[in-house]
Amino acid sequence: MTKLNIFTRGLVKENAVFVLMIGLCPALAVSSTVRDGFGMGLAATFVLVFSNLIISILRKNIPNEVRIPIFILVISTFVTIIDYMMQAFQPDLYRALGVFVPLIVVNCMILGRAEAYASKSSVVNSILDGLGTGLGFTLALTIMGTIREILGNGTFLGLTVFGESFRSAPVIFMIMSPGAFLVIGILKALINKYVKRELR
Amino acid sequence: MKSPALIFLAAFLVNNIVLMRFLGLCPFFGVSSTIETATGMGMAVIFVMTIAAWITWIVFNVVLLPLNLVFLRTAVFILTIASLVQLVEMFLKKSYRALYNALGIYLPLITTNCAILGVTFLNIDNKFSLLNGTVFAIGTGLGFTLVIITFAAIRERLDLAPINPSLRGYPISFIAASLMALAFLGFSGLFGLT
């Protein structure tokens, strides 16, 4: 498998949210605006890349019987780092994401990549895999955030899209919880219908 | 300070853990194909959530706060919950065989259930006392059980319904969950809770 394939597999073909349907909790909870979705995606990408890096470096020294607790410890270290960094540098974003920043630690996407890929692969490949999977997650959250923010708030990154009359009376339920379930349900149905099986 | 009764109602209905807070979606979609499995999962969640809320409250307030180790919260909580689930499983297997037979297969799944870890974090973030934290955990667990059983009932009917092939499976489940969430939005404002 070429380096490019390793990168694009997680980005599109095995997209965590839209294809594998994992990491759903943050994907639905913090995709009410583009900024929240993008920020959450980048935070998860950071954790994924660095945990893949460390686990790949240590892969020959980790005893098989206790590998899962070790993976969790490595992951939670980077989650704590991003938790405190976001609190210091992006306090508004941190407040919007709330409990979902520390909860990156139980995102099955990250433990899944550590177990299925980084514990068996070279350092460079693991970083590429982490980057692809993480950016695929970011892409999914940004797409959902775009749809929900435009319909539910009439804005894109805070800029008015359809003019003031829509802005003052948008489809408000799209930025509330039912909108999240509805958007991902419709996106998944469109993927089922229009994306060819061999691409999935 | 809110009374325990209001905390319970808020956790049970108004801020329902699955439909309003989006925690525990994996079991919500994963083990809701029949009412029977949904009930088992719900009971296991109530049980572990309550015990996890006690243990993590004690660990946080007795160990982490006095020693100024709050930054270790994430790592300590996840390891505490993982070992707690193992202990509970071994204890039930030895002492309460009937309960183990009912909940056993769901217990390992719970370690990675973000609802459990989420509730312990929310307990700390809301600065609940031990009593309020317990009430919050039980209310949240009951809310999870109510929603997963209702959802399982809907999914059992959906399996028999004639549905467009591209909507089958996940998409129609998401849309059903969306309608349930819309119904639960009706609870917001109940007794002034938001």
Side-chain angles (χ1 to χ4, degrees):
Chain A
M1 200 187 264
T2 67
K3 302 272 183 239
L4 187 67
N5 275 345
I6 294 171
F7 178 70
T8 56
R9 184 186 52 194
L11 192 65
V12 183
K13 213 167 143 195
E14 290 182 9
N15 188 291
V17 177
F18 289 146
V19 182
L20 301 181
M21 314 299 283
I22 55 177
L24 284 177
C25 297
L28 296 183
V30 293
S31 60
S32 51
T33 67
V34 180
R35 186 201 65 170
D36 293 359
F38 191 66
M40 182 70 207
L42 287 192
T45 308
F46 169 84
V47 176
L48 193 51
V49 169
F50 280 95
S51 63
N52 264 9
L53 168 72
I54 298 288
I55 288 164
S56 172
I57 291 173
L58 296 176
R59 68 181 186 280
K60 298 204 176 83
N61 301 317
I62 297 177
N64 200 34
E65 297 78 21
V66 289
R67 63 183 196 287
I68 302 286
I70 291 176
F71 295 166
I72 291 177
L73 267 185
V74 172
I75 294 168
S76 66
T77 306
F78 289 106
V79 170
T80 308
I81 292 173
I82 196 77
D83 194 18
Y84 277 70
M85 285 207 324
M86 203 187 271
Q87 224 165 334
F89 297 112
Q90 294 284 336
D92 288 344
L93 183 66
Y94 184 78
R95 224 164 295 134
L97 300 185
V99 75
F100 285 94
V101 181
L103 282 181
I104 295 174
V105 73
V106 279
N107 191 325
C108 24
M109 172 182 83
I110 295 174
L111 190 60
R113 291 329 288 170
E115 164 78 5
Y117 198 84
S119 59
K120 300 186 188 87
S121 315
S122 73
V123 175
V124 176
N125 285 356
S126 298
I127 294 177
L128 279 175
D129 178 76
L131 211 53
T133 312
L135 291 179
F137 184 69
T138 312
L139 182 73
L141 262 70
T142 311
I143 291 174
M144 287 195 55
T146 308
I147 298 173
R148 290 179 65 195
E149 189 180 339
I150 287 179
L151 292 177
N153 200 28
T155 59
F156 178 78
L157 282 170
L159 305 166
T160 308
V161 178
F162 294 131
E164 282 308 316
S165 56
F166 185 80
R167 175 82 202 267
S168 58
V171 194
I172 194 112
F173 99 104
M174 292 303 273
I175 55 170
M176 298 163 99
S177 60
F181 287 115
L182 189 65
V183 167
I184 196 167
I186 291 174
L187 284 176
K188 181 74 184 156
L190 291 175
I191 290 169
N192 282 354
K193 189 162 171 64
Y194 293 110
V195 180
K196 286 203 187 92
R197 195 160 293 273
E198 59 267 30
L199 255 175
R200 279 196 263 136
Chain B
M1 203 65 216
K2 279 192 282 187
S3 77
L6 282 183
I7 289 175
F8 176 81
L9 264 183
F12 181 45
L13 292 176
V14 180
N15 293 321
N16 187 281
I17 185 107
V18 180
L19 295 175
M20 294 294 139
R21 287 200 200 270
F22 299 108
L23 292 171
L25 289 177
C26 302
F28 181 65
F29 288 106
V31 285
S32 61
S33 47
T34 66
I35 293 179
E36 202 191 343
T37 57
T39 315
M41 188 71 195
M43 295 303 148
V45 165
I46 297 176
F47 190 70
V48 174
M49 199 175 263
T50 314
I51 300 175
W54 289 334
I55 304 277
T56 53
W57 192 91
I58 293 168
V59 166
F60 189 79
N61 286 290
V62 177
V63 182
L64 295 186
L65 263 188
L67 295 179
N68 228 346
L69 292 174
V70 176
F71 62 91
L72 285 180
R73 185 181 77 159
T74 309
V76 169
F77 276 24
I78 182 92
L79 288 180
T80 310
I81 291 172
S83 37
L84 173 77
V85 172
Q86 289 270 295
L87 271 177
V88 166
E89 196 184 351
M90 287 193 289
F91 176 71
L92 287 184
K93 201 172 184 177
K94 247 190 140 74
S95 311
Y96 294 97
R97 204 57 205 227
L99 197 59
Y100 177 77
N101 289 339
L103 305 183
I105 51 165
Y106 305 104
L107 285 174
L109 294 174
I110 282 181
T111 317
T112 52
N113 184 340
C114 55
I116 308 279
L117 193 63
V119 162
T120 63
F121 285 151
L122 288 170
N123 252 336
I124 303 297
D125 289 348
N126 287 329
K127 300 197 171 59
F128 281 146
S129 65
L130 189 56
L131 171 72
N132 284 350
T134 312
V135 170
F136 181 70
I138 295 175
T140 306
L142 280 174
F144 177 85
T145 312
L146 171 76
V147 169
I148 197 173
I149 293 176
T150 324
F151 190 58
I154 294 174
R155 279 187 65 184
E156 285 190 353
R157 300 296 290 267
L158 278 178
D159 282 344
L160 305 172
I163 297 169
N164 185 307
S166 41
L167 278 172
R168 273 215 166 275
Y170 270 112
I172 196 71
S173 302
F174 279 123
I175 292 167
S178 162
L179 294 174
M180 277 179 77
L182 205 54
F184 266 73
L185 268 186
F187 287 120
S188 77
L190 191 76
F191 299 112
L193 297 166
T194 47

